[in-house]
Amino acid sequence: MTQVQTLPVIADDENIRLDRWFRRHFPDLSHGRLEKMLRTGQVRVDGKRAKSSTRLIVGQNIRVPPMGAPPPALPRPRPPLDERETAWLKDAILHMDDQVIAINKPPGLAVQGGSGVKRRLDGMLDALRFGLPDRPRLVHRLDKDTSGVLLLGRSPGAAAKLAEIFRTKEAKKTYWAITVGLPHPARGRVDLAIGKGATGSSPDERMLVDGPGAKRAVTYYSVVEEASRRAAWIALRPITGRTHQLRVHCAAMGTPILGDGKYGAKEAFINGVPGGKSLMLHAREIEIPLPNRAKLHVAAPLPDSMKSVWRFFEFDPDAKINAFAQLKV
């Protein structure tokens, strides 16, 4: 390669370190040479100097200097979608304009690939091109077992702008959950750093309060309704975006999310609740500012499997609430 390249971060490369990105796409480049290019500013991410440990976000652009290495590997061909999956994905659209597609992700669908993951959202996105040359791109993620609003950028430029909005914490995200027990006080803020409980990328990996490499994590919460102190419907607004943040914070309050055996163990279950073994966490709303237009606000209804649990506790799954009016967040 004899010319400078500017290469976008694709969904398959989200959240990996910059040095790993180079190992994946430029396997002949030595680590020592990469470090020299980073020190001298020849490699940049979105026009800024970066370190080998920099984590990448979908839509960012990487400046790759001339180095005589082979061109980056193309993404592996994706298997064609069957008609049922294409129809389902289009039916899941909550909002679409020239920049953004918002879908209502069901529980149980992984957003990206991983160990043992066969069916994942990022492998289906060709069905949402709608005549555009690029497939839409993921700009944030939800856990496999979490349902609700997920945004996609319809072009590399739109994805980069959306990713920046999430990175600068301008996006307001509201989640609904049912907890086992009633949080005390009924509304407030959890400010507890979270880090990995173990190394590696196992799907069983746990995040821990003050775990190794812990980073600050802040969540606002507000109880919407309670069911005889056995359970509570709560609204959650994460200010930071750490892995499993809401699940860890709810468990740390002593009120794990219903169905979250990973962080609440046996205390996360209530006998006799139909469907109560599934995680009761739903990304209800997202509000984001977009350039040259009013704010985009998207809300996702609860999936039917969760509605039945809400109704079991005599909560109204179709209620319109403003849980954070008093907290002003």
Side-chain angles (χ1 to χ4, degrees), residues 78-328:
R78 299 178 180 88
L81 288 174
D82 63 39
E83 292 182 1
R84 286 178 301 176
E85 287 202 324
T86 299
W88 164 82
L89 196 54
K90 291 179 178 179
D91 285 344
I93 294 174
L94 298 166
H95 168 86
M96 183 169 70
D97 57 33
D98 59 343
Q99 300 180 68
V100 182
I101 294 176
I103 66 168
N104 189 2
K105 188 191 87 67
L109 176 64
V111 172
Q112 292 181 289
S115 177
V117 175
K118 294 182 180 179
R119 184 172 178 264
R120 65 186 198 275
L121 178 63
D122 66 349
M124 306 176 184
L125 296 181
D126 282 313
L128 300 181
R129 286 177 184 263
F130 295 107
L132 295 184
D134 296 297
R135 68 200 307 261
R137 302 176 181 222
L138 297 165
V139 295
H140 67 118
R141 291 178 293 177
L142 294 176
D143 293 346
K144 177 182 176 181
D145 295 321
T146 302
S147 60
V149 183
L150 188 72
L151 298 188
L152 309 168
R154 297 198 67 194
S155 67
K161 291 175 183 176
L162 289 169
E164 180 64 20
I165 288 170
F166 280 93
R167 187 162 53 246
T168 56
K169 302 180 179 61
E170 292 182 86
K172 284 188 177 182
K173 297 176 287 184
T174 301
Y175 290 73
W176 285 0
I178 291 180
T179 58
V180 179
L182 178 64
H184 182 78
R187 60 180 59 88
R189 186 177 82 160
V190 182
D191 189 344
L192 293 172
I194 296 174
K196 290 184 178 180
T199 58
S201 57
S202 164
D204 295 325
E205 180 179 76
R206 287 168 51 86
M207 305 300 290
L208 299 176
V209 172
D210 292 329
K215 296 181 179 179
R216 190 184 185 197
V218 178
T219 302
Y220 286 87
Y221 72 92
S222 181
V223 173
V224 178
E225 198 170 347
E226 63 172 288
S228 303
R229 305 188 70 86
R230 293 175 65 208
W233 168 13
I234 69 171
L236 298 149
R237 180 162 290 172
I239 304 303
T240 51
R242 311 302 177 204
T243 301
H244 296 174
Q245 175 175 319
L246 302 180
R247 298 166 65 180
V248 174
H249 279 175
C250 285
M253 288 193 292
T255 53
I257 295 174
L258 180 64
D260 190 7
K262 183 167 189 170
Y263 291 103
K266 64 181 181 180
E267 285 76 20
F269 302 96
I270 300 174
N271 290 334
V273 179
K277 291 187 178 180
S278 299
L279 182 70
M280 292 296 114
L281 179 61
H282 178 71
R284 169 64 176 176
E285 300 177 24
I286 288 182
E287 183 180 286
I288 59 172
L290 293 177
N292 304 320
R293 55 173 288 179
K295 290 182 179 179
L296 172 66
H297 177 267
V298 184
L302 288 167
D304 290 341
S305 59
M306 288 190 181
K307 282 185 177 181
S308 64
V309 179
W310 255 249
R311 290 179 177 130
F312 174 86
F313 290 108
E314 299 184 353
F315 301 149
D316 180 2
D318 300 314
K320 294 181 179 180
I321 62 169
N322 185 2
F324 296 102
Q326 293 181 343
L327 290 174
K328 297 181 181 180

